[in-house]
Amino acid sequence: MSGNKALNKLVSRVEGLELIIERVFDAPRDLVFSVFSDPVHLAAWWGPKGWETEVHELDFNEDGVWLYCMTCVDKNQGDFFGMKSCGKAVYHEIIVPEKIVYTDFFTDTEYNVLPEMPEMVITMEFIEEEGKTKIISRSKFSTAEAVKKVVDMGAVQGVSSQYERLDDYLSELQSK
């Protein structure tokens, strides 16, 4: 991991019906964008530390679908050990290497959408900053209660942990 604390700092805030998460990565924008668009890359870093991700389908095109399931493999995570968390994303807009817009759904292990869980429209921007990449993720919800539910579930901590994994993965890729 990079020793630059400002670089690694995740910033999050809620603005109305949006949860906004920002972080800078010490990697070029083309590389950072590519690890969001390839199933092999996604399986290597997606999800919080202690979780493994299986990508069951990835059609990285507008109107394409991504189906994935994460499993907690870390016995130190107590009640989470063995838990599965699955999701479905439907892509709406892809501008390589600048932007990805998709709707994200919580699903069961058969990829049936869980109606009791909030869906969110996520807009991810990849901004080049002097050889580094700033990701700004905006998750838009239909109600303030839905935003609160996802924040209370630990979404910010989960993304922070996931982005630490991404940072490590990008470092590995660049050292090859």
Side-chain angles (χ1 to χ4, degrees), residues 93-112:
E93 181 180 11
I94 298 170
I95 303 172
V96 179
E98 300 170 13
K99 184 177 177 183
I100 303 170
V101 180
Y102 62 99
T103 301
D104 195 28
F105 304 92
F106 291 91
T107 70
D108 62 19
T109 56
E110 304 291 316
Y111 299 108
N112 299 302

Side-chain angles (χ1 to χ4, degrees), residues 33-77:
F33 189 91
S34 75
V35 300
F36 280 84
S37 63
D38 178 285
V40 174
H41 287 313
L42 282 165
W45 67 269
W46 186 266
K49 289 181 179 180
W51 292 67
E52 290 181 355
T53 297
E54 286 184 60
V55 175
H56 291 272
E57 178 182 329
L58 178 63
D59 177 4
F60 190 71
N61 291 291
E62 291 181 12
D63 298 321
V65 174
W66 173 31
L67 303 175
Y68 63 92
C69 199
M70 302 180 296
T71 304
C72 182
V73 296
D74 180 0
K75 291 180 180 172
N76 295 322
Q77 292 191 22

Side-chain angles (χ1 to χ4, degrees), residues 1-10 22-27 129 132-134 167:
M1 283 184 49
S2 171
N4 183 342
K5 291 293 181 201
L7 182 68
N8 292 340
K9 183 156 175 37
L10 182 124
E22 301 179 15
R23 189 174 188 280
V24 176
F25 295 89
D26 190 11
E129 293 186 345
K132 297 174 179 40
T133 304
K134 181 179 197 174
D167 193 45

